[in-house]
Amino acid sequence: MPVNVGPHNFHCAGVMEKEDEWVLVQRAAERDLWNPSVGDGGEGSKPLKVTFSGPAKHWTDAIPIGNGRIGAMVWGGVDAETIQLNEDTLWTGTPGNYTNPKAPEALSKVRKLVDGGKYAEATAVGVELSDGPSDVYQPLGDIKIEFDNSHLKYVEDTYCRELDLDTATVKISYSVGDVEFTREHFASNPDQVIVTKLSGSKPGSLSFTVSLDSKLHHQSQVNGRSQILLRGSCPGKRIRPHLTVNDNPKGVQFSAILDIQISETRGTIQALDDKKFKLEGCDWVVMLLVASSSFDGPFTTPSDSKKDPTSDSISALQSIRKFSYSDLYARHLDDYQNLFHRVSLQLSKSSKSLHGDGSLEGKNHVLSTFDMHPQGSTNVITSTAERVKSFKTDEDPALVELLFQYGRYLLISCSRPGTQASNLQGIWNKDIEPAWDCAPHLNINLQMNYWPSLSCNLHECQEPLFDYISSFSVNGSKTAKVNYECSGWVVHQVSDIWAKTSPDRGEAVWALWPMGGAWVCTHLWEHYMYTMDKDFLKNKAYPLLEGCTKFLLDWLIDGPGGFLETNPSTSPEHMFVAPDGKQASVSYSSTMDMSIIKEVFSAIVSAAEILGKSEDSLIKKVRDSQPRLLPTKIARDGSIMEWAQDFEDPDVHHRHVSHLFGLYPGHTITVEKTPDLCKAADFTLFKRGEDGPGWSTTWKIALWARLRNSEHAYRMVKHLFNLVDPGNENAFEGGLYSNLFTAHPPFQIDANFGFSAAVAEMLVQSTVKDLYLLPALPHDKWASGCVKGLKARGGVTFNICWNEGSLQEVVLWSKEQNSLRLHYRETTVTANISTGRVYTFNKNLKCVKTYSL
């Protein structure tokens, strides 16, 4: 339960505030059940802060905050500040018809061409199966703050801008003469508000103007004495219509209110031009931003929506007006830290920085970030961008810790129960026409967004994905029936807020891929495997798995040799050279198709056993089909075959590694059971090379980890730490921006999440019955360390500590009573785990202590 701690070291807002007020902070986390015998237990060797030495010059220099639904990018300008805003339901368009009655005829033509070995011709005709594009994610607007010219005279070496991951709070400070100006920003999930506080160190020193604007069609006006009301609408079609066009449907409507509170003892506020406010002579100002839209689910057209976004925004604001700034901050901390504090990580090159008393050199355990440097002192903090630059030489493990936790921070900030699923940029977007529409892509990107949700102990953050899958099943059943004359439901490569399930527009190489729904369905089973939540399995996962399986059974057709095949089939976004010398993308039974189907079939058979449905006719069909699925094959050169035939690969360094799905995130290729395939997978990764966009890099980290190859996994970790210049980007180079957003380029958020999951995979791997400890630990790079609070399959939570490359201590507990095999190097022991008990094992995997929770 929540506990009180001492006064926080920042000035509270308003007469209701007291400088020594006690703040409600996080309840004890699971990780705190353990006091390790070595090290500090993974609290981190440096403060978890993303730091900057100056204001943002590019969008990817700005700092992201979010409460799951509303996001903001804080630029930190001195004379002019921009807080760019997003709300996750602001999309173009309306619910669509994702069916094509002409598709069955085109499908028949494609299949005949594939059967005849005319792959290039099948690829050309495959375009007839394509549909329209997805809709487009839209920005909400901008809070613009303008100061007088005196701020241009700020002392540059006093400037500091930082994001503290421990508190999910942005702090900006700088000095003008003898006055220190401070800004604090956070996004509260429990109160659904973006909170900003501005203050000056001298009474009456704060003056500025503030406005609220948008790139969308909108009206912005002063509302009362201290509010700005923004009302607007998204385009009803993805291409912005000309004003003379009359057939543009009504799009999603939205409202935002900026509420301004000033110090009551000093300062004035005055409306200007009915659009902005001028504030003068204040001690402090607190601004609250709430926003709502008319979006009422993917099946309700905006014109039929009964939601009133202005009324909803007013209600949201009224519900929090009773809270002081300190109240809002405390409620935000309690909510956020309940999630973030579940996991901690410490990595060190040697044991010298670890102390047996649990202390850490230079570790600041003060609750708040708001004392970065004393007033008047100079900023000596090294920016995170400089740390990324130097990683190639210093290989600072603390930067790995930071990026690992940054992925967890971003997932908490952009995906919460009740929100939309994280899109291609999470919830952060500045553009009317963003790259790839910000649309969720289901051939790796959407799935990677949720890879860390289970192993990194954030399972609640995955709920929006499951809601999304439920919407897919509705629209996808229509697509499956009309387009392919199949039962069940299907999703292709790209979607949007309206749960688009039909193929994308354009070429078959990307558009003709009906495996998106099957891949996301594997997340349902994985969720059960980690949580052991039987109600979830019965009520949510199994019905969706059933529908997906029905489609797959109908989609599979009889092929040569008694095998079942998928036809047409592509390997996402990759071409091959057909035997006739022509390049093509369409053939049959790609390795990824088969790997995904095997995972889904295995999942539903296992789920049926748990739920007592093993004798159902559907499960019998699955069991009959499983041995008829084409096995993963090894090519002439020793690599994993990407297609059913050993076609020539015109781009051996292609960014996708789809044919290794069975290794990760799948489970059909394992070191223990398929050593020959693992050897081939090793060569496949070597052949593919290290270059590629950020998501490709982090996928390769996880793949090398599954192969227990710590050296190559770490090489890919190091490869990601490449500082990208947003003004001079190179295609597919990957890397990191100064705010640690990952680059394709441009920015795609998937690799941020993929990195966290991949690092966890290097530290532990699991089945329901097996726990592999430090399977891909780079002993010379992370020689000593501790991790606390990671999750394993079987409902297990664990802590691990190691020293000079060798395991020292393991602590684990589980919600389920089971028998668990612990594996470390050549040692395997069986531990009988009882519900509600904590078990401590030493370096020899001998249980030395157990106690009740």
Side-chain angles (χ1 to χ4, degrees), residues 115-126:
D115 288 341
K118 297 180 179 180
Y119 302 116
E121 291 82 355
T123 300
V125 176

Side-chain angles (χ1 to χ4, degrees), residues 11 15 58 131 136 243 423-424 443 450 456 463 478 584 633 721 853:
H11 297 291
V15 296
H58 302 274
D131 193 19
V136 187
L243 294 178
N423 65 47
L424 204 59
N443 61 9
Y450 288 96
C456 296
E463 288 185 24
K478 301 171 187 175
K633 296 187 286 187
F721 284 89
L853 282 171

Side-chain angles (χ1 to χ4, degrees), residues 397-604:
L399 195 54
V400 176
E401 299 169 17
L402 182 65
L403 190 61
F404 168 84
Q405 293 286 25
Y406 188 58
R408 296 183 68 247
Y409 163 82
L410 291 173
L411 187 57
I412 295 169
S413 301
C414 76
S415 185
R416 294 289 199 99
T419 72
Q420 302 304 303
S422 173
N423 65 47
L424 204 59
Q425 294 182 185
I427 52 173
W428 299 280
N429 165 45
K430 70 181 189 325
D431 298 315
I432 295 292
E433 298 178 5
W436 300 288
D437 304 327
C438 270
H441 284 57
L442 285 83
N443 61 9
I444 176 60
N445 315 96
L446 175 62
Q447 292 88 344
M448 185 178 284
N449 282 7
Y450 288 96
W451 281 359
S453 60
L454 296 173
S455 60
C456 296
N457 210 338
L458 296 172
H459 66 88
E460 301 95 329
C461 294
Q462 204 176 22
E463 288 185 24
L465 177 64
F466 303 145
D467 294 338
Y468 204 20
I469 297 173
S470 295
S471 298
F472 286 152
S473 71
V474 175
N475 285 339
S477 63
K478 301 171 187 175
T479 305
K481 181 178 181 179
V482 175
N483 289 33
Y484 303 131
E485 299 176 333
C486 292
S487 57
W489 59 272
V490 64
V491 188
H492 292 77
Q493 163 257 359
V494 68
S495 192
D496 53 29
I497 198 170
W498 309 110
K500 169 184 165 63
T501 52
S502 57
D504 192 13
R505 64 179 170 185
E507 301 299 322
V509 66
W510 67 79
L512 186 49
W513 193 72
M515 290 291 132
W519 188 346
V520 293
C521 266
T522 65
H523 285 244
L524 295 162
W525 175 242
E526 285 288 288
H527 187 84
Y528 170 75
M529 294 281 278
Y530 274 87
T531 64
M532 308 304 286
D533 184 343
K534 194 170 179 179
D535 287 339
F536 169 83
L537 182 65
K538 177 182 178 181
N539 300 321
K540 187 74 170 183
Y542 196 82
L544 293 169
L545 279 167
E546 272 190 315
C548 175
T549 299
K550 288 176 181 178
F551 170 77
L552 294 176
L553 287 170
D554 284 356
W555 181 247
L556 287 163
I557 57 177
D558 291 324
F563 288 107
L564 294 172
E565 68 178 22
T566 55
N567 176 8
S569 175
T570 61
S571 190
E573 302 184 27
H574 199 14
M575 306 285 285
F576 59 85
V577 179
D580 60 6
K582 298 177 183 178
Q583 286 204 12
S585 64
V586 175
S587 62
Y588 65 96
S589 299
S590 71
T591 300
M592 187 179 224
D593 277 12
M594 292 296 108
S595 299
I596 292 175
I597 293 170
K598 289 171 189 175
E599 292 288 333
V600 174
F601 281 5
S602 175
I604 196 166

Side-chain angles (χ1 to χ4, degrees), residues 570-724:
T570 61
S571 190
E573 302 184 27
H574 199 14
M575 306 285 285
F576 59 85
V577 179
D580 60 6
K582 298 177 183 178
Q583 286 204 12
S585 64
V586 175
S587 62
Y588 65 96
S589 299
S590 71
T591 300
M592 187 179 224
D593 277 12
M594 292 296 108
S595 299
I596 292 175
I597 293 170
K598 289 171 189 175
E599 292 288 333
V600 174
F601 281 5
S602 175
I604 196 166
V605 167
S606 297
E609 290 176 1
I610 294 166
L611 299 175
K613 296 176 177 288
S614 294
E615 299 305 312
D616 288 5
S617 60
L618 178 69
I619 303 305
K620 291 180 179 179
K621 289 181 182 178
V622 171
R623 285 203 182 99
D624 290 342
S625 300
Q626 283 177 306
R628 299 181 61 196
L629 297 176
L630 199 67
T632 301
K633 296 187 286 187
I634 299 175
R636 293 186 301 272
D637 67 358
S639 64
I640 297 289
M641 282 173 53
E642 188 163 355
W643 299 274
Q645 294 187 35
D646 195 0
F647 296 128
E648 178 187 345
D649 187 342
D651 182 8
V652 295
H653 302 308
H654 194 267
R655 60 195 176 275
H656 282 262
V657 281
S658 306
H659 45 321
L660 296 184
F661 175 94
L663 177 61
Y664 186 94
H667 307 281
T668 55
I669 301 176
T670 67
V671 170
E672 290 75 26
K673 295 181 179 180
T674 58
D676 290 343
L677 290 178
C678 283
K679 182 179 179 181
D682 186 298
F683 180 67
T684 303
L685 282 170
F686 175 79
K687 180 180 173 182
R688 216 50 154 196
E690 297 181 355
D691 292 337
W695 57 261
S696 179
T697 301
T698 58
W699 195 355
K700 290 170 185 173
I701 299 171
L703 288 163
W704 282 118
R706 279 279 172 94
L707 291 172
R708 316 283 165 80
N709 191 320
S710 60
E711 178 185 354
H712 279 92
Y714 183 77
R715 280 175 63 89
M716 295 311 300
V717 167
K718 188 175 179 181
H719 189 76
L720 187 65
F721 284 89
N722 170 56
L723 188 66
V724 176

Side-chain angles (χ1 to χ4, degrees), residues 370-387:
F370 301 150
D371 194 20
M372 291 185 297
H373 47 83
Q375 183 177 338
S377 70
T378 57
N379 174 20
V380 293
I381 296 175
T382 302
S383 72
T384 300
E386 290 300 318
R387 293 176 66 190

Side-chain angles (χ1 to χ4, degrees), residues 3 38 43 58 171 192 195 217 339 455 476 499 516 540 685 785 789:
V3 295
V38 178
E43 294 303 316
H58 302 274
K171 162 77 181 295
Q192 290 296 298
V195 182
H217 177 72
L339 296 169
S455 60
K540 187 74 170 183
L685 282 170

